[in-house]
């Protein structure tokens, strides 16, 4: 320090230079550097103002970031670097000497600064006063204007920089499990993904290659097949264990704490291919897991349950049939493997951990699907019943006599829809046009 280079006030030679103390401060080899004291921003601005011959009434900026003059800004950056680069050079030499390693590149020397910072305790009240947190240091450097303008240009062109900084970009990109799920969800083929992956070389170091995604898909299928106890019927219909699937879905949707669960079976068939006199059909049986309104903790949760009924993404595939949804096919492929499980859920409920949940089942399908599941309703009903909720027949519907009225004094009679509207005057009223 400057004060130690002079005799103190108690000495007879007070105020005179103390040469012996100065030489002792240099050490035996005399290789220690005397650091100049740091200058304040006001002192630096006065020097800049004098060198650039700025007028006396030129407004003084509050800090270095508020300097508007381009020449003044460049001169300040030059002075700032000259002041502190020597100190940083000395600090780097001291750190490399303390670690005792041989650092061939400058990057290896700067890597030592990472050991000065900490991850933090996780407590916001204490971490807010710690300036040596890793994220604070990194975010501070990333917000610097020179870093903002220089790094993006180097990342797009320099392979060395891409390799060093790829761990940051990978934090934003989907990992191998997410890539596997997203490609399946987007129905992206292997050739399409490879074309995207091979088009830009720098994506090879960032995006997950299709080879790893394919291996991940195979492992996921093997795990799901084992976890869900997948089986196959004689007609090559594939299905999963009902109780295991419902348990996994309940835990995924955080419904294991509810007392009652609503299990809705969804059935639908579609024509995959057509040929002369033959149709190839495909049937999918899925289920949607809900909870009744009295079990919902809030109105938002009940709205979420209503949304799940309409959204296909919330339906879990239980069985896939390569045939149609006729009563014979559903009895052989669906009811034989699942009837005992459904009855067990209705009687005993579902146990998840220490919780015992009551289960209520519903079946949702079109008329053909209901006929396949329940053998009631639709044009294929053996008894001629058309509706699944009443005793009306398809012949009555075609004849237009499908509404029955019971009166206290008159016997049961059958009327048509037009007669019913005439009797009770159920016609739409015409809007009156007002004259202006």
């Amino acid at each position: 320090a400057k004060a130690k280079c002079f005799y103190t006030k108690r000495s007879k030679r007070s105020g005179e230079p103390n040469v012996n103390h100065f030489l002792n401060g240099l050490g035996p080899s005399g290789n220690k550097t005397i650091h100049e004291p740091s200058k304040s921003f006001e002192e630096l601005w006065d020097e800049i103002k004098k060198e650039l011959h700025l007028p006396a009434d030129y407004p003084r900026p509050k800090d270095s970031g508020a300097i508007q003059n381009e020449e003044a800004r460049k001169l300040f950056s030059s002075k700032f670097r000259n002041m502190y680069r020597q100190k940083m050079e000395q600090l780097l030499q001291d750190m490399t000497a303390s670690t005792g390693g041989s650092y061939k590149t400058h990057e290896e020397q700067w890597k030592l600064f990472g050991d000065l910072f900490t991850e933090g305790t996780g407590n916001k009240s204490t971490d807010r006063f710690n300036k040596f947190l890793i994220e604070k240091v990194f975010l501070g450097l990333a917000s610097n204007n020179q870093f903002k303008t220089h790094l993006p240009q180097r990342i797009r062109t320099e392979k060395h920089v891409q390799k060093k900084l790829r761990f940051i970009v990978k934090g934003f990109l989907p990992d191998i499990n997410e890539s596997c799920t997203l490609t399946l969800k987007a129905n992206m083929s292997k050739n399409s993904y490879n074309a995207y992956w091979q088009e830009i070389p720098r994506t090879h170091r960032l995006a997950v290659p299709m080879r790893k995604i394919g291996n991940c898909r195979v492992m996921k299928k093997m795990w799901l097949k084992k976890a869900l106890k997948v089986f196959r019927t004689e007609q090559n219909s594939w299905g999963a264990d009902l109780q295991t699937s419902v348990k996994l879905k309940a835990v995924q949707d955080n419904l294991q704490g509810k007392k009652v669960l609503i299990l809705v079976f969804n059935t639908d068939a579609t024509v995959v291919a057509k040929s002369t006199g033959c149709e190839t059909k495909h049937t999918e049986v899925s289920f949607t897991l809900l909870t009744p309104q009295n079990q919902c903790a809030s109105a938002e949760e009940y709205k979420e349950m209503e949304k799940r009924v309409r959204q296909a993404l919330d339906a879990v595939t239980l069985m896939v049939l390569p045939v149609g949804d006729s009563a014979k096919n559903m009895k052989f492929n669906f009811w034989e493997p699942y009837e005992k499980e459904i009855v067990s859920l209705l009687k005993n409920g579902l146990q998840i951990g220490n919780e015992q949940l009551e289960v209520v089942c519903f079946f949702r399908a079109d008329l053909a699907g209901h006929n396949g599941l329940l053998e009631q309703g639709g044009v294929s009903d053996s008894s001629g019943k058309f509706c699944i909720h009443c005793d009306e027949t398809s012949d009555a519907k075609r004849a237009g006599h499908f509404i029955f009225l019971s009166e206290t004094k008159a016997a049961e009679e059958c009327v048509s829809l037009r007669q019913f509207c005439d009797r009770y005057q159920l016609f739409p009223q015409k809007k009156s046009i007002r004259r202006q």
Side-chain angles (χ1 to χ4, degrees), residues 251-266:
V251 174
Q252 181 185 9
D253 294 342
N254 197 20
L255 299 177
Q256 64 271 22
K258 305 296 182 181
K259 295 182 180 180
V260 182
L261 293 179
I262 299 177
L263 182 60
V264 182
F265 290 93
N266 312 295

Side-chain angles (χ1 to χ4, degrees), residues 46-86:
D46 292 338
E47 294 180 2
I48 294 172
K49 191 175 180 180
K50 185 182 296 184
E51 294 181 18
L52 296 179
H53 304 287
L54 297 177
D57 56 348
Y58 193 88
R60 180 191 298 272
K62 296 180 179 180
D63 50 33
S64 61
I67 299 177
Q68 300 295 332
N69 191 296
E70 186 68 22
E71 295 183 2
R73 191 186 301 114
K74 292 181 179 180
L75 185 57
F76 175 83
S77 300
S78 177
K79 288 180 175 293
F80 186 82
R81 285 194 294 265
N82 294 335
M83 284 175 58
Y84 293 102
R85 272 188 175 177
Q86 294 181 358

Side-chain angles (χ1 to χ4, degrees), residues 88-348:
M88 293 297 295
E89 179 66 29
Q90 183 63 41
L91 182 59
L92 281 173
Q93 294 178 5
D94 295 342
M95 293 176 69
T96 53
S98 298
T99 54
S102 57
Y103 302 95
K104 299 180 180 180
T105 62
H106 295 156
E107 295 177 3
E108 294 179 352
Q109 296 180 11
W110 284 109
K111 189 170 64 175
L112 296 174
F113 275 87
D115 298 331
L116 301 178
F117 313 125
T118 58
E119 297 181 0
T121 60
N123 189 355
K124 294 182 179 180
S125 59
T126 57
D127 290 344
R128 61 182 298 187
F129 299 105
N130 186 2
K131 65 178 68 174
F132 292 98
L133 293 180
I134 295 176
E135 58 267 22
K136 289 184 179 180
V137 177
F138 183 80
L139 293 176
L141 291 174
S143 59
N144 184 271
N145 290 330
Q146 293 193 96
F147 277 72
K148 286 182 180 180
T149 56
H150 181 70
L151 278 181
Q153 298 175 1
R154 298 293 301 275
I155 288 176
R156 297 185 68 87
T157 56
E158 296 290 338
K159 294 183 179 180
H160 178 69
V161 180
Q162 293 174 8
K163 184 177 180 180
K164 293 294 182 181
L165 298 179
R166 63 181 177 181
F167 74 96
I168 301 175
V169 183
K170 282 189 175 181
F172 292 92
L173 294 177
D175 56 14
I176 183 171
N177 294 307
E178 294 172 335
S179 300
C180 177
T181 305
L182 291 174
T183 51
L184 284 174
K185 183 178 180 180
N187 198 19
M188 183 178 290
S189 64
K190 178 181 178 181
N191 294 333
S192 300
Y193 188 86
N194 284 333
Y196 156 75
W197 189 76
Q198 296 175 357
E199 186 67 25
I200 306 175
R202 63 174 177 271
T203 58
H204 298 179
R205 289 175 285 273
L206 302 176
V208 183
M210 193 63 196
R211 174 179 53 82
K212 293 185 178 181
I213 294 177
N215 294 336
C216 182
R217 285 182 180 179
V218 173
M219 297 302 297
K220 282 182 177 294
K221 288 180 181 178
M222 293 175 60
W223 178 84
L224 285 173
K225 187 176 180 180
K226 183 178 180 181
L228 298 178
K229 302 175 184 178
V230 177
F231 61 90
R232 185 176 65 175
T233 64
E234 293 183 4
Q235 286 188 343
N236 294 326
S237 298
W238 292 89
D241 184 71
L242 179 60
Q243 291 198 12
T244 305
S245 302
V246 174
K247 284 182 181 179
L248 290 175
K249 184 60 177 176
V251 174
Q252 181 185 9
D253 294 342
N254 197 20
L255 299 177
Q256 64 271 22
K258 305 296 182 181
K259 295 182 180 180
V260 182
L261 293 179
I262 299 177
L263 182 60
V264 182
F265 290 93
N266 312 295
T267 306
D268 196 12
T270 183
V271 178
V272 180
K274 282 187 176 183
S275 60
T276 305
C278 181
E279 291 182 349
T280 303
K281 293 186 177 181
H282 169 96
T283 304
E284 181 179 357
V285 180
S286 63
F287 70 87
T288 306
L289 202 59
L290 309 170
T291 185
Q293 185 176 4
N294 57 5
Q295 296 292 321
C296 296
S298 60
E300 288 75 15
E301 185 179 1
Y302 181 65
K303 290 181 181 179
E304 181 65 26
M305 295 299 159
E306 290 182 328
K307 190 186 299 183
R308 288 181 184 177
V309 178
R310 300 186 296 269
Q311 286 184 347
L313 292 177
D314 288 312
V316 180
T317 301
L318 182 66
M319 172 172 269
V320 177
L321 293 78
V323 291
D325 55 352
S326 64
K328 182 179 179 181
N329 292 333
M330 296 301 294
K331 182 178 180 180
F332 182 77
N333 293 280
F334 178 76
W335 285 112
E336 285 191 7
Y338 287 115
E339 182 176 2
K340 294 182 179 179
E341 290 193 72
I342 294 175
V343 173
S344 176
L345 286 175
L346 293 174
K347 288 184 177 180
N348 306 321

